[in-house]
Amino acid sequence: EPEVTQTPSHQVTQMGQEVILRCVPISNHLYFYWYRQILGQKVEFLVSFYNNEISEKSEIFDDQFSVERPDGSNFTLKIRSTKLEDSAMYFCASSEVDRPNQPQHFGDGTRLSIL
Amino acid sequence: KQEVTQIPAALSVPEGENLVLNCSFTDSAIYNLQWFRQDPGKGLTSLLLIQSSQREQTSGRLNASLDKSSGRSTLYIAASQPGDSATYLCAVTAGGYNKLIFGAGTRLAVHP
């Protein structure tokens, strides 16, 4: 069964450094998402992306965050200047179309640790 | 603002029991509701999706129901097994673009 893949599985970065998290969504999917889960807390929506532009973003997704689909397969999340509070598990998800019967499929996540 | 609550936060049962996990949401104007399973340190596996027009969905030993008007969903697990041990998350979508709003999850332990 096709799956969403995320790399790396674990990223350790010094505070203030830039980090790029990578995702390869399922190939025929059109909608892409990033979520994060701080340890012990709920999974939180960050951003959705469709047709090469952001369709919705949360309050968390400030100017330090950006997303890009640099080619036909990758979807990336960049954090420009990382803070300690950015430490979390980051999940990428994709869905085929924007219909109520279509589930979102999640990757295994990237654990981001800011030192 | 949509809020999703899951009860209980944790549950420990002996193998073979039938069990019910509860999810409630504050705004009934949802697009659909998904139940996920999360193993420690892993991603989210979609178990069941119920559209807002549906009342229930079944997959194997899992059955999920939805009562949109009262803002509730239940996940029923029949004949639980140790392999069912995981955290179960409920999430709803509202509005366009399918943004998921998650509950905090129920951590399930099934012991032999």
Side-chain angles (χ1 to χ4, degrees):
Chain A
E1 185 175 325
E3 56 183 31
V4 176
T5 56
Q6 290 186 243
T7 55
S9 57
H10 191 188
Q11 174 82 45
V12 182
T13 301
Q14 291 288 332
M15 186 171 60
Q17 295 294 306
E18 174 183 286
V19 66
I20 297 176
L21 309 182
R22 291 183 164 79
C23 169
V24 179
I26 295 173
S27 63
N28 64 333
H29 284 191
L30 301 175
Y31 290 80
F32 314 115
Y33 312 85
W34 284 101
Y35 294 83
R36 79 173 186 189
Q37 185 177 32
I38 295 171
L39 189 63
Q41 297 187 23
K42 292 183 179 183
V43 177
E44 304 172 284
F45 168 79
L46 292 178
V47 66
S48 58
F49 191 86
Y50 169 69
N51 200 24
N52 283 320
E53 59 183 32
I54 290 173
S55 41
E56 188 173 3
K57 59 184 181 180
S58 72
E59 294 170 352
I60 304 166
F61 195 89
D62 62 21
D63 292 344
Q64 294 298 312
F65 292 87
S66 62
V67 289
E68 192 179 29
R69 189 155 163 81
D71 52 43
S73 58
N74 289 284
F75 179 50
T76 62
L77 174 69
K78 183 194 289 186
I79 308 175
R80 199 176 352 264
S81 177
T82 50
K83 309 185 198 61
L84 293 175
E85 54 264 37
D86 293 327
S87 294
M89 192 77 148
Y90 287 80
F91 294 108
C92 173
S94 68
S95 64
E96 190 172 345
V97 291
D98 182 22
R99 290 200 194 120
N101 62 338
Q102 295 296 318
Q104 289 185 28
H105 297 264
F106 281 71
D108 279 345
T110 293
R111 181 171 301 284
L112 178 62
S113 300
I114 307 301
L115 304 179
Chain B
K1 182 186 168 186
Q2 180 74 270
E3 296 281 346
V4 179
T5 304
Q6 291 188 247
I7 294 172
L11 187 60
S12 180
V13 299
E15 182 176 6
E17 273 203 10
N18 302 322
L19 49 98
V20 174
L21 309 182
N22 297 291
C23 171
S24 61
F25 46 94
T26 54
D27 186 345
S28 62
I30 64 168
Y31 207 44
N32 61 35
L33 183 145
Q34 272 186 261
W35 282 95
F36 294 88
R37 169 185 173 135
Q38 184 177 29
D39 292 286
K42 295 289 188 182
L44 309 177
T45 302
S46 181
L47 298 173
L48 290 164
L49 179 146
I50 311 177
Q51 298 177 56
S52 61
S53 58
Q54 297 176 322
R55 298 285 292 189
E56 65 178 336
Q57 283 286 337
T58 298
S59 176
R61 294 182 293 107
L62 305 180
N63 175 276
S65 67
L66 174 65
D67 184 343
K68 207 172 75 142
S69 60
S70 69
R72 295 176 193 273
S73 176
T74 60
L75 179 67
Y76 175 83
I77 303 176
S80 57
Q81 303 169 358
D84 294 330
S85 299
T87 296
Y88 290 81
L89 300 175
C90 164
V92 300
T93 61
Y97 310 116
N98 277 357
K99 173 178 73 177
L100 284 169
I101 300 168
F102 283 83
T106 294
R107 192 169 61 253
L108 173 66
V110 182
H111 48 89

Coordinates of all heavy atoms in Angstrom, one line a residue, chain A residues 10-70:
Chain A
H10 N 14.9 11.5 12.8 CA 15.2 12.3 13.9 C 16.2 13.4 13.5 O 17.2 13.1 12.8 CB 15.8 11.4 15.0 CG 16.0 12.1 16.3 ND1 16.7 11.5 17.4 CD2 15.6 13.3 16.8 CE1 16.6 12.3 18.5 NE2 16.0 13.4 18.1
Q11 N 16.0 14.6 13.9 CA 16.9 15.7 13.6 C 17.2 16.5 14.9 O 16.3 16.9 15.6 CB 16.1 16.7 12.6 CG 16.9 18.0 12.3 CD 17.9 17.8 11.2 OE1 17.7 17.1 10.2 NE2 19.1 18.3 11.4
V12 N 18.5 16.6 15.1 CA 19.0 17.4 16.3 C 19.6 18.7 15.7 O 20.5 18.6 14.9 CB 19.9 16.6 17.1 CG1 20.4 17.4 18.3 CG2 19.3 15.3 17.6
T13 N 19.2 19.8 16.2 CA 19.7 21.1 15.7 C 19.9 22.1 16.8 O 19.2 22.1 17.8 CB 18.6 21.7 14.7 OG1 18.4 20.7 13.7 CG2 19.1 23.0 14.1
Q14 N 20.9 22.9 16.6 CA 21.2 24.0 17.6 C 20.2 25.1 17.4 O 19.8 25.4 16.3 CB 22.6 24.5 17.4 CG 23.7 23.6 17.7 CD 23.9 23.4 19.2 OE1 23.5 24.3 20.0 NE2 24.4 22.2 19.6
M15 N 19.8 25.7 18.6 CA 18.8 26.8 18.5 C 19.4 27.9 17.6 O 20.6 28.2 17.6 CB 18.7 27.3 19.9 CG 17.7 28.4 20.1 SD 17.4 28.8 21.8 CE 19.0 29.4 22.4
G16 N 18.5 28.5 16.8 CA 18.9 29.5 15.9 C 19.2 29.0 14.5 O 19.3 29.8 13.5
Q17 N 19.4 27.7 14.3 CA 19.7 27.2 13.0 C 18.5 26.9 12.2 O 17.4 26.8 12.8 CB 20.5 25.8 13.2 CG 21.9 26.0 13.9 CD 22.8 26.8 13.0 OE1 23.0 26.5 11.9 NE2 23.4 27.9 13.6
E18 N 18.7 26.9 10.9 CA 17.6 26.5 10.0 C 17.5 25.0 9.9 O 18.5 24.3 9.9 CB 17.9 27.2 8.6 CG 16.9 26.8 7.6 CD 17.3 27.4 6.2 OE1 17.1 28.6 6.0 OE2 17.7 26.6 5.4
V19 N 16.2 24.5 9.7 CA 16.1 23.1 9.6 C 15.0 22.9 8.5 O 14.1 23.7 8.3 CB 15.6 22.4 10.9 CG1 14.3 22.9 11.3 CG2 15.6 20.9 10.8
I20 N 15.2 21.9 7.7 CA 14.3 21.5 6.6 C 13.8 20.1 6.8 O 14.7 19.2 6.9 CB 14.9 21.7 5.2 CG1 15.2 23.1 4.9 CG2 13.9 21.2 4.1 CD1 15.9 23.4 3.6
L21 N 12.5 19.9 7.0 CA 12.0 18.6 7.1 C 11.3 18.2 5.8 O 10.7 19.0 5.1 CB 10.9 18.6 8.2 CG 11.3 19.2 9.6 CD1 10.2 19.0 10.6 CD2 12.6 18.5 10.1
R22 N 11.6 16.9 5.4 CA 11.2 16.5 4.0 C 10.1 15.4 4.1 O 10.1 14.6 5.0 CB 12.4 16.0 3.3 CG 13.3 17.1 2.9 CD 14.5 16.6 2.1 NE 15.2 17.8 1.5 CZ 16.0 18.6 2.1 NH1 16.3 18.4 3.3 NH2 16.6 19.6 1.4
C23 N 9.2 15.5 3.1 CA 8.1 14.5 3.0 C 7.9 14.2 1.6 O 8.1 15.0 0.7 CB 6.9 15.2 3.6 SG 5.3 14.3 3.3
V24 N 7.6 12.9 1.3 CA 7.2 12.5 0.0 C 5.7 12.0 0.1 O 5.5 10.9 0.7 CB 8.1 11.4 -0.6 CG1 7.5 10.9 -2.0 CG2 9.5 11.9 -0.7
P25 N 4.8 12.8 -0.3 CA 3.4 12.3 -0.2 C 3.1 11.2 -1.1 O 3.9 10.8 -2.0 CB 2.6 13.6 -0.6 CG 3.5 14.7 -0.5 CD 4.9 14.1 -0.8
I26 N 1.9 10.6 -1.0 CA 1.4 9.5 -1.9 C 1.3 10.1 -3.2 O 0.7 11.3 -3.4 CB 0.1 8.9 -1.3 CG1 0.5 8.2 0.0 CG2 -0.5 7.9 -2.3 CD1 -0.7 7.6 0.7
S27 N 1.6 9.4 -4.3 CA 1.9 10.0 -5.6 C 0.7 10.7 -6.2 O 0.8 11.7 -6.9 CB 2.5 9.0 -6.5 OG 1.6 7.9 -6.7
N28 N -0.5 10.1 -6.1 CA -1.7 10.7 -6.7 C -2.4 11.7 -5.8 O -3.5 12.1 -6.2 CB -2.6 9.6 -7.3 CG -3.2 8.8 -6.2 OD1 -2.6 8.7 -5.1 ND2 -4.4 8.2 -6.4
H29 N -1.8 12.0 -4.7 CA -2.5 12.9 -3.8 C -2.3 14.4 -4.1 O -1.2 14.7 -4.7 CB -2.1 12.7 -2.3 CG -2.7 11.4 -1.8 ND1 -2.6 11.1 -0.4 CD2 -3.4 10.4 -2.4 CE1 -3.3 10.0 -0.2 NE2 -3.7 9.5 -1.4
L30 N -3.3 15.2 -3.8 CA -3.2 16.6 -4.3 C -3.1 17.6 -3.1 O -2.8 18.8 -3.3 CB -4.5 16.9 -5.1 CG -4.7 16.1 -6.4 CD1 -6.0 16.5 -7.0 CD2 -3.5 16.3 -7.3
Y31 N -3.5 17.1 -1.9 CA -3.6 18.0 -0.7 C -2.5 17.6 0.3 O -2.4 16.4 0.5 CB -5.0 17.9 -0.1 CG -6.1 18.6 -0.9 CD1 -6.6 17.9 -1.9 CD2 -6.5 19.9 -0.6 CE1 -7.6 18.5 -2.7 CE2 -7.5 20.5 -1.4 CZ -8.0 19.8 -2.4 OH -9.0 20.3 -3.2
F32 N -1.8 18.5 0.8 CA -0.7 18.2 1.7 C -0.8 19.0 2.9 O -1.2 20.2 2.9 CB 0.7 18.5 1.0 CG 0.7 17.9 -0.4 CD1 0.8 18.8 -1.5 CD2 0.6 16.6 -0.7 CE1 0.8 18.3 -2.8 CE2 0.6 16.1 -2.0 CZ 0.7 16.9 -3.0
Y33 N -0.3 18.4 4.0 CA -0.5 19.0 5.4 C 0.8 18.8 6.2 O 1.5 17.8 6.1 CB -1.6 18.4 6.1 CG -2.9 18.3 5.3 CD1 -3.1 17.2 4.5 CD2 -3.9 19.2 5.4 CE1 -4.3 17.1 3.7 CE2 -5.1 19.1 4.6 CZ -5.2 18.0 3.8 OH -6.4 17.9 3.1
W34 N 1.0 19.7 7.1 CA 2.0 19.5 8.2 C 1.2 19.7 9.5 O 0.5 20.7 9.7 CB 3.2 20.5 8.1 CG 4.2 20.2 7.1 CD1 4.3 20.7 5.9 CD2 5.2 19.2 7.2 NE1 5.3 20.2 5.2 CE2 5.9 19.2 6.0 CE3 5.6 18.3 8.2 CZ2 7.0 18.4 5.7 CZ3 6.7 17.4 7.9 CH2 7.4 17.5 6.7
Y35 N 1.5 18.8 10.5 CA 1.1 18.9 11.8 C 2.3 18.7 12.7 O 3.3 18.2 12.3 CB 0.1 17.7 12.1 CG -1.2 17.8 11.3 CD1 -1.3 17.2 10.0 CD2 -2.4 18.3 11.9 CE1 -2.5 17.3 9.3 CE2 -3.6 18.3 11.2 CZ -3.6 17.8 9.9 OH -4.8 17.8 9.2
R36 N 2.1 19.1 14.0 CA 3.1 18.8 15.0 C 2.5 18.3 16.3 O 1.3 18.6 16.6 CB 4.0 20.0 15.2 CG 3.4 21.1 16.2 CD 4.4 22.1 16.5 NE 3.8 23.0 17.5 CZ 4.3 24.2 17.9 NH1 5.5 24.6 17.4 NH2 3.8 24.9 18.8
Q37 N 3.3 17.6 17.0 CA 2.9 17.1 18.3 C 4.0 17.3 19.3 O 5.0 16.6 19.3 CB 2.5 15.6 18.2 CG 1.9 15.1 19.5 CD 1.5 13.6 19.4 OE1 2.1 12.8 18.6 NE2 0.4 13.2 20.1
I38 N 3.9 18.3 20.2 CA 4.8 18.5 21.3 C 4.6 17.3 22.3 O 3.4 16.9 22.5 CB 4.6 19.9 21.9 CG1 4.9 21.0 20.9 CG2 5.4 20.0 23.2 CD1 4.6 22.3 21.4
L39 N 5.7 16.9 22.9 CA 5.6 15.7 23.8 C 4.5 15.9 24.8 O 4.5 16.9 25.5 CB 7.0 15.5 24.4 CG 7.1 14.2 25.2 CD1 7.0 13.0 24.3 CD2 8.5 14.2 26.0
G40 N 3.6 14.9 24.8 CA 2.5 14.9 25.8 C 1.3 15.8 25.5 O 0.4 15.9 26.3
Q41 N 1.4 16.4 24.3 CA 0.3 17.3 23.9 C -0.5 16.8 22.7 O -0.1 15.7 22.1 CB 0.8 18.7 23.7 CG 1.4 19.3 24.9 CD 1.8 20.8 24.7 OE1 1.2 21.5 23.8 NE2 2.7 21.3 25.5
K42 N -1.5 17.5 22.3 CA -2.3 17.1 21.2 C -1.6 17.3 19.9 O -0.7 18.1 19.8 CB -3.6 17.9 21.1 CG -4.6 17.6 22.2 CD -5.9 18.5 22.0 CE -6.9 18.2 23.1 NZ -8.2 19.0 22.8
V43 N -2.0 16.6 18.9 CA -1.5 16.8 17.5 C -2.2 18.1 17.1 O -3.4 18.3 17.2 CB -1.9 15.7 16.6 CG1 -1.5 16.0 15.1 CG2 -1.2 14.4 17.0
E44 N -1.3 19.1 16.5 CA -1.8 20.4 16.1 C -1.6 20.6 14.6 O -0.5 20.3 14.1 CB -1.1 21.5 16.9 CG -1.1 21.4 18.4 CD -0.2 22.4 19.0 OE1 1.1 22.2 18.9 OE2 -0.7 23.5 19.5
F45 N -2.6 21.2 14.0 CA -2.5 21.6 12.6 C -1.5 22.7 12.4 O -1.6 23.7 13.2 CB -3.9 21.9 12.1 CG -3.9 22.6 10.7 CD1 -3.8 21.9 9.6 CD2 -4.1 24.0 10.6 CE1 -3.8 22.5 8.3 CE2 -4.1 24.6 9.4 CZ -4.0 23.8 8.2
L46 N -0.7 22.7 11.4 CA 0.2 23.8 11.1 C -0.3 24.5 9.8 O -0.5 25.7 9.8 CB 1.6 23.3 10.9 CG 2.4 22.8 12.1 CD1 3.8 22.4 11.8 CD2 2.4 23.9 13.2
V47 N -0.3 23.7 8.7 CA -0.5 24.3 7.4 C -1.1 23.3 6.4 O -0.8 22.1 6.5 CB 0.8 24.9 6.9 CG1 1.8 23.8 6.6 CG2 0.6 25.8 5.6
S48 N -1.9 23.7 5.5 CA -2.4 22.9 4.4 C -1.9 23.5 3.1 O -1.8 24.8 3.0 CB -3.9 22.7 4.4 OG -4.6 23.9 4.4
F49 N -1.8 22.7 2.0 CA -1.1 23.2 0.8 C -1.8 22.5 -0.4 O -2.0 21.3 -0.4 CB 0.4 22.8 0.9 CG 1.2 23.4 -0.2 CD1 1.8 24.6 0.0 CD2 1.5 22.7 -1.4 CE1 2.7 25.2 -1.0 CE2 2.4 23.2 -2.3 CZ 3.0 24.4 -2.1
Y50 N -2.2 23.3 -1.3 CA -2.9 22.7 -2.5 C -2.6 23.6 -3.7 O -2.6 24.8 -3.6 CB -4.4 22.7 -2.3 CG -5.2 22.4 -3.5 CD1 -5.2 21.1 -4.1 CD2 -6.0 23.3 -4.1 CE1 -5.9 20.8 -5.2 CE2 -6.8 23.0 -5.2 CZ -6.7 21.8 -5.8 OH -7.4 21.5 -6.9
N51 N -2.4 23.0 -4.8 CA -2.1 23.7 -6.1 C -1.0 24.7 -5.9 O -1.1 25.9 -6.4 CB -3.4 24.4 -6.5 CG -3.5 24.7 -8.0 OD1 -2.8 24.1 -8.8 ND2 -4.3 25.7 -8.3
N52 N 0.1 24.3 -5.3 CA 1.3 25.1 -5.1 C 1.1 26.3 -4.3 O 1.9 27.3 -4.4 CB 1.9 25.4 -6.5 CG 2.6 24.2 -7.1 OD1 3.3 23.5 -6.4 ND2 2.4 24.0 -8.4
E53 N 0.1 26.3 -3.4 CA 0.0 27.5 -2.5 C -0.6 27.0 -1.2 O -1.3 26.0 -1.1 CB -0.7 28.6 -3.1 CG -2.1 28.3 -3.6 CD -2.8 29.6 -4.2 OE1 -2.1 30.3 -4.9 OE2 -4.0 29.7 -4.1
I54 N -0.3 27.8 -0.2 CA -0.9 27.6 1.1 C -2.4 27.8 1.1 O -2.8 28.9 0.6 CB -0.2 28.5 2.2 CG1 1.2 28.0 2.5 CG2 -1.0 28.4 3.5 CD1 2.0 28.9 3.4
S55 N -3.2 26.9 1.5 CA -4.6 27.1 1.6 C -5.1 27.5 2.9 O -6.1 28.2 3.0 CB -5.4 25.8 1.1 OG -4.8 24.6 1.6
E56 N -4.4 27.0 4.0 CA -4.8 27.5 5.3 C -3.6 27.3 6.2 O -2.8 26.4 6.0 CB -6.0 26.6 5.9 CG -6.5 27.1 7.2 CD -7.8 26.4 7.6 OE1 -8.2 25.4 6.9 OE2 -8.4 26.7 8.7
K57 N -3.5 28.2 7.2 CA -2.4 28.0 8.2 C -2.9 28.4 9.6 O -3.8 29.2 9.7 CB -1.2 28.8 7.8 CG -1.4 30.3 7.7 CD -0.2 31.0 7.2 CE -0.4 32.5 7.2 NZ 0.8 33.3 6.7
S58 N -2.2 27.8 10.6 CA -2.7 28.1 12.0 C -1.8 29.3 12.5 O -0.9 29.7 11.9 CB -2.5 26.8 12.8 OG -1.1 26.6 13.0
E59 N -2.2 29.7 13.7 CA -1.5 30.7 14.4 C 0.0 30.3 14.7 O 0.9 31.2 14.8 CB -2.1 31.1 15.7 CG -3.5 31.6 15.6 CD -4.3 31.7 16.9 OE1 -3.8 31.2 17.9 OE2 -5.4 32.3 16.9
I60 N 0.2 29.0 14.8 CA 1.6 28.6 15.1 C 2.5 28.9 13.9 O 3.7 29.1 14.0 CB 1.6 27.0 15.3 CG1 0.6 26.7 16.5 CG2 3.0 26.5 15.6 CD1 0.3 25.2 16.5
F61 N 1.9 28.8 12.7 CA 2.7 28.9 11.4 C 3.0 30.4 11.2 O 2.3 31.0 10.4 CB 1.9 28.3 10.3 CG 2.7 28.0 9.1 CD1 3.4 26.8 8.9 CD2 2.8 28.9 8.0 CE1 4.1 26.5 7.8 CE2 3.5 28.7 6.9 CZ 4.2 27.5 6.8
D62 N 4.0 30.9 11.9 CA 4.4 32.3 11.7 C 5.4 32.5 10.7 O 5.7 31.5 9.9 CB 4.8 32.9 13.1 CG 6.0 32.2 13.7 OD1 6.8 31.6 12.9 OD2 6.2 32.3 14.9
D63 N 6.1 33.6 10.6 CA 7.0 33.9 9.6 C 8.3 33.1 9.6 O 9.0 33.1 8.7 CB 7.4 35.4 9.7 CG 6.3 36.4 9.3 OD1 5.3 35.9 8.7 OD2 6.4 37.5 9.7
Q64 N 8.5 32.4 10.7 CA 9.6 31.5 10.8 C 9.4 30.2 10.0 O 10.4 29.5 9.8 CB 9.9 31.1 12.3 CG 10.4 32.3 13.1 CD 11.7 32.9 12.6 OE1 12.6 32.2 12.3 NE2 11.7 34.2 12.4
F65 N 8.2 29.9 9.7 CA 7.9 28.7 8.9 C 7.6 28.9 7.5 O 7.0 30.0 7.1 CB 6.6 28.0 9.6 CG 6.8 27.5 10.9 CD1 6.6 28.3 12.0 CD2 7.1 26.1 11.1 CE1 6.8 27.8 13.3 CE2 7.3 25.6 12.4 CZ 7.1 26.4 13.5
S66 N 8.0 28.0 6.6 CA 7.6 28.1 5.2 C 7.5 26.7 4.7 O 8.0 25.7 5.2 CB 8.6 28.9 4.4 OG 9.9 28.3 4.4
V67 N 6.7 26.5 3.7 CA 6.5 25.2 3.0 C 6.7 25.4 1.5 O 6.6 26.5 1.0 CB 5.1 24.6 3.2 CG1 4.9 24.1 4.6 CG2 4.0 25.5 2.8
E68 N 7.2 24.3 0.9 CA 7.5 24.3 -0.5 C 7.3 23.0 -1.1 O 7.5 21.9 -0.5 CB 8.9 24.8 -0.7 CG 9.4 25.2 -2.1 CD 10.8 25.6 -2.1 OE1 11.6 25.1 -1.3 OE2 11.1 26.4 -3.0
R69 N 6.9 23.0 -2.4 CA 6.9 21.7 -3.2 C 7.9 21.9 -4.3 O 7.5 22.4 -5.4 CB 5.5 21.4 -3.7 CG 5.3 20.1 -4.3 CD 3.9 19.7 -4.2 NE 3.5 18.6 -5.1 CZ 3.8 17.3 -4.9 NH1 4.4 16.9 -3.8 NH2 3.4 16.4 -5.7
P70 N 9.2 21.6 -4.0 CA 10.2 22.0 -5.0 C 10.2 21.2 -6.3 O 10.7 21.7 -7.3 CB 11.5 21.7 -4.2 CG 11.1 20.7 -3.2 CD 9.7 21.0 -2.8

